[in-house]
Amino acid sequence: MAYENLAFLIPLLPALAFVITFFVGKKTPYGGGLIPIFAIAASFLISLLITIGLLQNPDQVISQSYHWFAIFNLGILIDPLAAVMLTMVTFVSLLIHIYSVGYMSHDPAKPRYFAETSLFTASMLSLILSDNILQLFISWELVGLCSYLLIGFWYQKPSAASAAKKAFLTTRIGDVMFLAGIIVLFADLFKLVNGIIPEGVYLLRFDEIFSFIPEIAAMNATILGFEVSHLTIITLLFFGGAVGKSGQFPLHVWLPDAMEGPTTVSALIHAATMVTAGVYLVARTFPMFIAAPQSLIIVAYVGAFTALFAATMGIVMNDLKRVLAYSTISQLGYMMLGLGMGAVIGAEAVGVSIFHLVSHAFFKALLFLCAGSVIHAVGTHDMRELGGVAKVMPITAATMVAASLALAGFGIPGTSIGSTGFFSKDPIIENAYLFGEHAGNWFPYIFAIVAALLTSLYIFRLLFMTFAGKPRTNYGGHESPASMTVPLSILGILALVFGAIVVEPFNKFVNSTFVNNFVNMDIPALAEVGNYELVHHAGQEPLLILWMPVIVAVIGLLIAFVIYYQKAIDMSRFVSKDNSVYKLLYNRYYQNEIFTQLFAVKFVYEGLAMAGYHIDRFIDGIVNVISYLIIEAGDSFRKVQTGVIQHYSVAVITGVSLLVILIKLVMEVF
């Protein structure tokens, strides 16, 4: 492949841009913004050329591995899965950086912003390129560090500093689980090779891991009296890491508060980088999950529940960015549900889920950048203070409509007419229906359909409250500059047409990820390792099932139109502190209070404080005893130091005499 030798530059160029911008950004135009733009543009070009090459020959993936130390390696793997992710991340990140030139124009800390976003992009690209699980974890931690720096970018604000710490600590829970999974995996692999690792073999490289899947699946551990496969334990620990990074219940609580950073940071986190890392991890290790069906079922249930759970909170939020944050959590739930459906349709689930991830990246980046455009122009993000914004910001409004249609999933089943979200989200819901038919459990399908209804409701509620009607305050406002509206327009076009154009070749391309010169996995055989059979997706669901996602999307639109545009219903009767349901949703099910008061304070803080107090008392006691003995001994020995030379001579003669006597006694004994 002509460009494979340039693959290492994909993460390296943004990393170099970070260093240059950090040190000399203040002395360059736009606060150093052009440096990461050119670097990421080059990374995008390389990614695109490699992807085009792979499309022509998907069996010959790029695999480059270099010895690191001991039995570990650094490597690059670009297969169909990695290629589409690299192209998406670099493209969306490039548009966000171009947009940021206008959005951050008045911020005095522009160099630090562009340096950190460039490092953020480099970390995500490194994660995607990793050919082994340890290297992926290191990049995973760098992504978490960058999110901490960017969420707390305006660290002078206590709320921003608090949100950054919350994100960092919450995701650490998942990271510990992920690391524990790596340790268990390595221990099992080391045991399977009897501790003998041939030179040039790296146990944590994905091809080596996948080759041992049947053996790991046969290893069992007893937990609470139940026999559990080591493979199930490992995959659940990996999924625990994904739950933290990708904002799945119950570790999703950090994501809404991550809005404290600049809106462009929110777009980067929610569309192209951090939250997609968890989905990518499950997709990358999918052969392990397919041989551990219990884990896949848990992935499906958690994803479906998260999609619905987050959507219920999105319908009551009044902050533009917070509505979109809960939308992200919900859509990530759909992606996890899509991967979980691998328990029914096999490797096709990866293509379906990743297509929704890429599609979501386009319209979610657009939604956040539209919100940023509004905030930049009018100075508020409270929807109750807006209204009529479309009159002063027509380009922003038009692209927001395109993004809303994509998020809601409008389209005509059986045709090529539809938004990008229609072609990416609806197949996940249809697969959930197949799961219900096959397994007799309809909860994932019901959760997914109800979430689709609420998705349409909250996004058109946002649209009508913000852009339609008359201004509710004297906010002024103006259209954003071209550096902001051009990226909006590009993403708006993709939100409308990307799905219809590429859905079939995209899925076919990504579904070939696990059959190439790097790995050659027999997915149905792996399913047999898990003692179940796959169902081939015939695409012959009942007509009502095909139309159901669109029907509920239309219902959600109509409800939002009647309530928030026509104002035919007086919502003050429902939006009240006296309404217990509204209070529950608005207060986010009191999750923060539960975690803070019950777990964080009572069980952790107070427990650690009490343990620390007693440990401190114990250590202080030991130190005090030792110091007392040393002081007393010093006082005693000090009396020997008289300063009279005759006394010292007597002591030396006495010591030598005793030593001679001791040596003589020893010689007589032996």
Side-chain angles (χ1 to χ4, degrees):
M1 196 174 294
Y3 305 98
E4 63 180 15
N5 293 327
L6 300 177
F8 74 99
L9 291 174
I10 296 174
L12 183 60
L13 290 174
L16 290 175
F18 155 70
V19 176
I20 296 171
T21 306
F22 187 80
F23 287 105
V24 302
K26 288 183 179 180
K27 301 178 182 179
T28 59
Y30 305 106
L34 296 181
I35 300 171
I37 287 174
F38 285 124
I40 296 170
S43 295
F44 167 65
L45 181 61
I46 297 170
S47 301
L48 182 62
L49 292 172
I50 289 175
T51 301
I52 292 172
L54 267 179
L55 280 168
Q56 297 170 353
N57 193 2
D59 294 337
Q60 297 299 312
V61 305
I62 297 175
S63 176
Q64 301 169 357
S65 190
Y66 308 95
H67 180 74
W68 183 15
F69 73 94
I71 55 175
F72 303 109
N73 75 298
L74 291 175
I76 290 174
L77 170 63
I78 305 182
D79 56 8
L81 173 60
V84 297
M85 287 291 294
L86 289 172
T87 306
M88 179 276 290
V89 170
T90 51
F91 178 71
V92 173
S93 180
L94 174 62
L95 292 181
I96 292 173
H97 277 80
I98 294 171
Y99 177 100
S100 297
V101 170
Y103 185 81
M104 300 294 291
S105 58
H106 302 297
D107 197 298
K110 289 190 293 293
R112 177 165 58 88
Y113 167 84
F114 283 112
E116 290 174 357
T117 54
S118 190
L119 180 61
F120 200 11
T121 302
S123 301
M124 186 65 192
L125 294 173
S126 174
L127 185 153
I128 296 168
L129 282 169
S130 300
D131 78 337
N132 65 87
I133 198 71
L134 181 61
Q135 182 182 334
L136 189 151
F137 179 77
I138 294 170
S139 301
W140 178 281
E141 289 301 297
L142 278 174
V143 167
L145 173 63
C146 293
S147 70
Y148 169 77
L149 296 173
L150 286 167
I151 292 169
F153 179 76
W154 290 316
Y155 57 87
Q156 303 89 343
K157 295 167 53 181
S159 57
S162 176
K165 288 187 288 185
K166 183 177 182 179
F168 192 76
L169 293 174
T170 304
T171 54
R172 290 292 74 74
I173 299 172
D175 293 355
V176 169
M177 296 177 70
F178 184 15
L179 180 59
I182 295 174
I183 293 171
V184 175
L185 173 63
F186 181 76
D188 285 348
L189 292 172
F190 197 74
K191 182 178 180 180
L192 287 170
V193 298
N194 297 316
I196 302 172
I197 305 174
E199 185 178 353
V201 174
Y202 304 107
L203 286 183
L204 292 181
R205 210 168 68 171
F206 290 116
D207 57 338
E208 295 292 339
I209 294 172
F210 295 162
S211 68
F212 284 102
I213 285 177
E215 290 81 0
I216 298 174
M219 302 170 71
N220 293 316
T222 302
I223 300 178
L224 299 176
F226 295 96
E227 289 289 321
V228 183
S229 166
H230 279 208
L231 191 62
T232 300
I233 295 171
I234 293 166
T235 49
L236 285 178
L237 288 171
F238 283 5
F239 180 57
V243 166
K245 269 291 190 289
S246 291
Q248 298 297 281
F249 178 86
L251 299 182
H252 64 282
V253 292
W254 66 271
L255 202 50
D257 293 333
M259 300 300 100
E260 291 293 339
T263 305
T264 45
V265 169
S266 302
L268 201 56
I269 290 175
H270 288 246
T273 54
M274 183 165 175
V275 298
T276 62
V279 179
Y280 180 77
L281 171 63
V282 177
R284 170 54 66 203
T285 57
F286 189 76
M288 301 174 67
F289 279 85
I290 205 75
Q294 297 87 351
S295 298
L296 268 185
I297 297 301
I298 291 174
V299 171
Y301 277 118
V302 171
F305 179 77
T306 302
L308 175 59
F309 186 71
T312 61
M313 291 177 278
I315 62 175
V316 299
M317 295 296 147
N318 297 311
D319 186 303
L320 266 172
K321 292 167 67 176
R322 203 172 289 275
V323 173
L324 299 179
Y326 282 108
S327 169
T328 297
I329 298 170
S330 182
Q331 296 306 305
L332 288 166
Y334 274 111
M335 297 172 206
M336 289 298 186
L337 172 61
L339 287 169
M341 291 302 98
V344 181
I345 63 172
E348 293 177 27
V350 177
V352 171
S353 179
I354 296 300
F355 185 60
H356 189 50
L357 184 153
V358 173
S359 301
H360 175 262
F362 294 144
F363 60 73
K364 184 52 60 68
L366 178 56
L367 286 166
F368 270 108
L369 296 184
C370 285
S373 180
V374 172
I375 296 168
H376 182 266
V378 305
T380 182
H381 42 77
D382 190 331
M383 297 188 296
R384 294 169 296 186
E385 299 175 2
L386 297 172
V389 174
K391 296 176 183 177
V392 294
M393 305 183 72
I395 298 176
T396 300
T399 52
M400 190 73 171
V401 170
S404 300
L405 291 172
L407 177 62
F410 276 84
I412 302 176
T415 71
S416 58
I417 301 173
S419 63
T420 296
F422 166 74
F423 290 101
S424 64
K425 185 175 68 177
D426 285 22
I428 295 175
I429 300 175
E430 292 166 18
N431 289 337
Y433 172 81
L434 279 180
F435 177 78
E437 270 196 330
H438 182 66
N441 193 321
W442 296 96
F443 282 110
Y445 177 73
I446 294 170
F447 288 170
I449 277 292
V450 177
L453 169 65
L454 297 179
T455 299
S456 181
L457 174 58
Y458 67 63
I459 195 58
F460 286 108
R461 170 180 177 266
L462 181 152
L463 198 65
F464 291 133
M465 288 183 68
T466 304
F467 293 94
K470 298 179 180 179
R472 288 182 284 277
T473 58
N474 186 24
Y475 55 73
H478 54 82
E479 186 59 272
S480 297
S483 63
M484 297 169 67
T485 56
V486 170
L488 294 182
S489 301
I490 294 172
L491 289 169
I493 294 170
L494 290 171
L496 291 177
V497 305
F498 175 77
I501 295 173
V502 306
V503 57
E504 291 186 6
F506 183 99
N507 286 337
K508 182 180 178 181
F509 180 56
V510 175
N511 289 342
S512 65
T513 295
F514 303 111
V515 182
N516 50 60
N517 60 309
F518 184 73
V519 295
N520 190 359
M521 307 305 300
D522 187 343
I523 297 298
L526 289 176
E528 292 178 4
V529 171
N531 296 317
Y532 68 103
E533 293 184 2
L534 301 175
V535 176
H536 294 288
H537 189 175
Q540 297 179 348
E541 293 83 1
L543 191 61
L544 179 61
I545 298 302
L546 295 176
W547 276 90
M548 186 58 70
V550 179
I551 292 172
V552 297
V554 172
I555 293 172
L557 167 60
L558 293 176
I559 294 173
F561 179 79
V562 170
I563 295 176
Y564 299 103
Y565 184 78
Q566 292 190 329
K567 296 180 171 54
I569 299 175
D570 182 12
M571 292 301 294
S572 62
R573 294 180 299 169
F574 306 100
V575 182
S576 168
K577 293 182 179 180
D578 297 328
N579 187 328
S580 57
V581 175
Y582 174 79
K583 280 181 63 179
L584 181 68
L585 297 178
Y586 188 77
N587 289 291
R588 300 180 272 181
Y589 295 93
Y590 299 99
Q591 298 157 90
N592 289 326
E593 290 77 6
I594 292 171
F595 289 156
T596 302
Q597 297 300 323
L598 183 60
F599 295 105
V601 173
K602 298 295 182 184
F603 294 160
V604 179
Y605 293 168
E606 292 184 3
L608 289 175
M610 186 65 68
Y613 172 76
H614 289 295
I615 292 171
D616 186 58
R617 290 286 300 272
F618 177 73
I619 293 174
D620 279 351
I622 294 175
V623 171
N624 290 336
V625 169
I626 293 173
S627 64
Y628 173 79
L629 293 174
I630 291 173
I631 290 171
E632 290 298 317
D635 288 340
S636 300
F637 284 116
R638 186 174 59 191
K639 296 175 182 178
V640 178
Q641 304 293 328
T642 62
V644 180
I645 194 168
Q646 291 90 338
H647 294 170
Y648 296 155
S649 299
V650 170
V652 170
I653 293 169
T654 303
V656 171
S657 300
L658 290 173
L659 184 61
V660 170
I661 294 169
L662 180 63
I663 293 173
K664 186 175 181 180
L665 290 173
V666 171
M667 291 177 66
E668 289 179 356
V669 172
F670 294 97

